[in-house]
Amino acid sequence: MNKLLTFLDMGGYALWVWPAYGITAVALIGMVIFARRDLKAREREFETLRAARRGE
Amino acid sequence: MSVFSALLARDLKLALRQSADSMTVVAFFAIATVLFPFGIGPEANVLARIAGGVLWVTALLAALLSLDRLFTVDYEDGTLDQLVLSGAPLPMVVLAKVTAHWLTTGVPLIIMSPVLALTLHLPAQGYAPMMLALLLGTPTVSLVGAVGAALVLGTRRGGVLLSLLVLPLYIPVLIFGTASVEAVITGVETNGPLLILAGFAVLALTLCPWATAAALRQAVE
Amino acid sequence: MHKFANPTQFMRIANAIYPWAAGLSMILFLIGVPIALVSSPADYQQGETVRILYLHVPAAVMMQMIYYGMAAGSAAYLIWRHPMANLVAKASAPMGAIFTALCLICGMLWGQPMWGTFWVWDARLTSTLIQFFIYLGYIALADAFEDPERGDRAAAILALVGVVNVPIIKFSVNWWNTLHQPASLSLTKSSMTGDMLLPLFLMMGAFGTFYIAVLVLRLRAELLSAKIRNARLSQVAVSEATAAAE
């Protein structure tokens, strides 16, 4: 337990180390989520467009 | 060469007819500089310390404002299409237009700068290097700005976009322009920054007309 | 060269790379982050804050690599009309901007405990900030035209102008920095020991493969939107033709 606390404390620099890792994680995960959602949305759009074409 | 002189003469004649345009740029230079004492306070020694930097920043902004219209008139009335289609060497065309721009805005800014420097209490030995630095730096400003002005032709938000594209590229000129004034004031040897400014001008002169020509060609295609 | 110019061929290769890049990135993060945070030693000068550099430096490397990649792609697009090269540049730009922002944020978070202030006009931080504006300019220009193809070409020219300027800006900022500030503890300049290189390289690899994987996703989306645009245009053309025939 004590070990975990000293790890989380980061030698007194917790206030800077953890936000750096947190913000980076959020940015990277955000990039993936955004890219995947964007791709899905366009795939759907393309499919509806193709379906409309076939219907004509 | 005849293309160059013909275009230069035409642009100068147009600028002379609409001399209010250059006047506006100089007036902007003056008012923007005069804002600083209001923002910072009128203490002579503080103003003297920042005079070189303030004049350079305001000169860059003034030049930028005028660059916005460097190609727009020719672009909108179709002159630019004709120039591109005419088969005239496009970098030469660009060079003529940039020279005209520099003569009608850069030079007035240089002439105006000592008057504004007076109001900022620039130390006496700073005047010569300041004007020399402006003389060597403003051609680069016009040349680099021309690339940006050609790139934003036909966009929805030309002026603001131009600032975003071009201002980061002006930072080297700003650094060495201000440094050549400060070097003299702090009593250090002055030639270094001025020589680097001259080097930038040569580099810009060899590269920018081609980049601008490429940008113009894609704009009228 | 021309094998890659064909979007179908290009995407076949890109899609084959995708699972490897994504998997490798995941593995490198899973190994690299624990080493960066736990098992690597604290620096004798910087203490635990050195762990921030394992994010800051890879982000800085990505910022530079992506921009050079964009410039190369833009050149290939302008010279050989290589459509995929331009698409790579365009899809990379927002990622480059985000990596640059991360580099700045991590640099500032390192600076606060080390320098006592979030922002110092350190040569590297200043150059990074300027690079960030160059990325923003590219993104804004590419997006500013009604006709997407014009935006592509204008942005490609801007990328090349920028890549010529980047070393000049770096040189100027370094010169300016030494003129105005005595060298103190500088970001990343302090000597790197062997213990620090392992997490650094692992994180660089993780960031690099991450970029490639997300780039493939973004390229797929870009190609699809081009297809959608074409389909829309031909639909309009068809309906106009039928209207004219009636």
Side-chain angles (χ1 to χ4, degrees):
Chain A
M1 195 61 212
N2 228 353
K3 245 184 170 172
L4 184 68
L5 277 180
T6 46
F7 168 63
L8 287 177
D9 184 50
M10 277 290 155
Y13 292 121
L15 210 52
W16 295 281
V17 175
W18 290 115
Y21 277 80
I23 291 167
T24 307
V26 168
L28 296 188
I29 293 167
M31 267 196 261
V32 174
I33 290 174
F34 179 83
R36 297 187 77 149
R37 271 173 58 181
D38 194 44
L39 180 59
K40 288 270 150 61
R42 299 206 187 171
E43 270 167 356
R44 231 173 292 130
E45 196 180 352
F46 187 62
E47 279 312 310
T48 50
L49 214 64
R50 263 227 298 238
R53 254 290 175 81
R54 254 183 255 122
E56 263 168 25
Chain B
M1 207 60 208
S2 65
V3 182
F4 179 85
S5 47
L7 256 177
L8 180 61
R10 165 183 169 271
D11 272 25
L12 285 179
K13 214 178 284 170
L14 278 176
L16 214 62
R17 207 177 300 157
Q18 294 168 332
S19 51
D21 282 3
S22 321
M23 294 292 288
T24 318
V25 174
V26 176
F28 173 84
F29 182 40
I31 183 67
T33 307
V34 166
L35 286 181
F36 279 83
F38 293 109
I40 286 157
E43 292 90 356
N45 54 339
V46 176
L47 290 176
R49 167 73 190 76
I50 62 166
V54 167
L55 286 169
W56 261 102
V57 170
T58 49
L60 285 182
L61 293 178
L64 192 66
L65 281 181
S66 64
L67 277 163
D68 189 20
R69 299 185 46 76
L70 182 58
F71 298 113
T72 34
V73 178
D74 286 350
Y75 176 71
E76 276 159 9
D77 71 6
T79 314
L80 200 60
D81 297 72
Q82 287 178 357
L83 280 173
V84 172
L85 290 174
S86 74
L90 213 46
M92 220 33 147
V93 171
V94 170
L95 208 55
K97 289 198 74 74
V98 172
T99 310
H101 173 264
W102 180 73
L103 287 173
T104 52
T105 58
V107 172
L109 290 183
I110 299 170
I111 295 168
M112 188 63 185
S113 62
V115 183
L116 293 172
L118 277 176
T119 68
L120 294 177
H121 304 283
L122 182 75
Q125 70 272 28
Y127 284 81
M130 180 195 67
M131 291 184 73
L132 206 56
L134 280 171
L135 191 67
L136 289 170
T138 45
T140 312
V141 171
S142 293
L143 284 161
V144 172
V147 185
L151 284 176
V152 301
L153 280 178
T155 55
R156 293 187 290 270
R157 35 177 194 269
V160 190
L161 184 58
L162 176 65
S163 321
L164 181 59
L165 303 190
V166 165
L167 283 178
L169 308 182
Y170 282 169
I171 289 170
V173 177
L174 176 62
I175 287 174
F176 289 101
T178 310
S180 31
V181 184
E182 274 184 2
V184 175
I185 294 174
T186 50
V188 200
E189 176 255 349
T190 160
N191 282 338
L194 284 175
L195 285 177
I196 291 171
L197 277 181
F200 285 164
V202 172
L203 197 66
L205 194 63
T206 44
L207 295 179
C208 289
W210 272 267
T212 314
L216 287 179
R217 205 166 279 134
Q218 63 87 21
V220 300
E221 237 169 45
Chain C
M1 196 69 209
H2 289 286
K3 204 165 73 183
F4 301 109
N6 179 338
T8 328
Q9 288 270 13
F10 189 96
M11 286 318 290
R12 193 173 300 151
I13 299 166
N15 288 334
I17 293 172
Y18 174 72
W20 292 95
L24 195 58
S25 175
M26 206 101 86
I27 292 167
L28 284 170
F29 270 121
L30 286 176
I31 305 171
V33 172
I35 291 180
L37 276 174
V38 188
S39 55
S40 68
D43 185 68
Y44 75 101
Q45 253 183 322
Q46 312 166 28
E48 306 281 349
T49 58
V50 71
R51 305 191 191 285
I52 297 174
L53 296 188
Y54 302 139
L55 300 175
H56 170 82
V57 177
V61 172
M62 292 313 295
M63 155 190 103
Q64 270 169 331
M65 299 282 278
I66 290 176
Y67 196 75
Y68 289 130
M70 279 166 61
S74 300
Y77 173 62
L78 289 174
I79 298 167
W80 297 297
R81 297 275 149 143
H82 189 319
M84 288 313 290
N86 176 62
L87 226 51
V88 170
K90 214 163 68 171
S92 296
M95 296 176 75
I98 291 173
F99 279 119
T100 313
L102 281 178
C103 178
L104 279 173
I105 292 168
C106 291
M108 287 167 80
L109 285 167
W110 183 88
Q112 166 63 19
M114 288 297 106
W115 293 322
T117 166
F118 277 112
W119 188 262
V120 165
W121 290 95
D122 166 78
R124 273 181 185 252
L125 271 183
T126 311
S127 302
T128 307
L129 183 62
I130 299 170
Q131 180 72 57
F132 186 59
F133 288 126
I134 292 177
Y135 269 118
L136 290 187
Y138 177 95
I139 295 167
L141 185 65
D143 184 51
F145 293 91
E146 308 279 345
D147 170 12
E149 205 182 317
R150 271 215 57 197
D152 290 352
R153 266 175 292 162
I157 295 172
L158 181 70
L160 291 181
V161 171
V163 86
V164 174
N165 269 283
V166 163
I168 298 176
I169 291 171
K170 272 219 172 114
F171 157 75
S172 306
V173 169
N174 279 334
W175 186 90
W176 168 80
N177 187 252
T178 48
L179 184 74
H180 288 280
Q181 266 172 354
S184 60
L185 190 61
S186 167
L187 256 167
T188 72
K189 225 191 213 164
S190 49
S191 57
M192 286 269 173
T193 60
D195 307 327
M196 298 162 73
L197 288 178
L198 176 66
L200 199 60
F201 284 141
L202 283 172
M203 292 305 276
M204 276 182 195
F207 274 44
T209 44
F210 173 88
Y211 159 71
I212 292 171
V214 178
L215 178 66
V216 176
L217 290 181
R218 294 181 59 90
L219 283 175
R220 276 189 214 160
E222 288 277 352
L223 276 175
L224 266 180
S225 52
K227 271 189 195 164
I228 291 167
R229 211 160 39 228
N230 286 338
R232 286 253 161 80
L233 282 177
S234 64
Q235 218 168 25
V236 170
V238 165
S239 61
E240 269 172 4
T242 49
E246 270 163 15

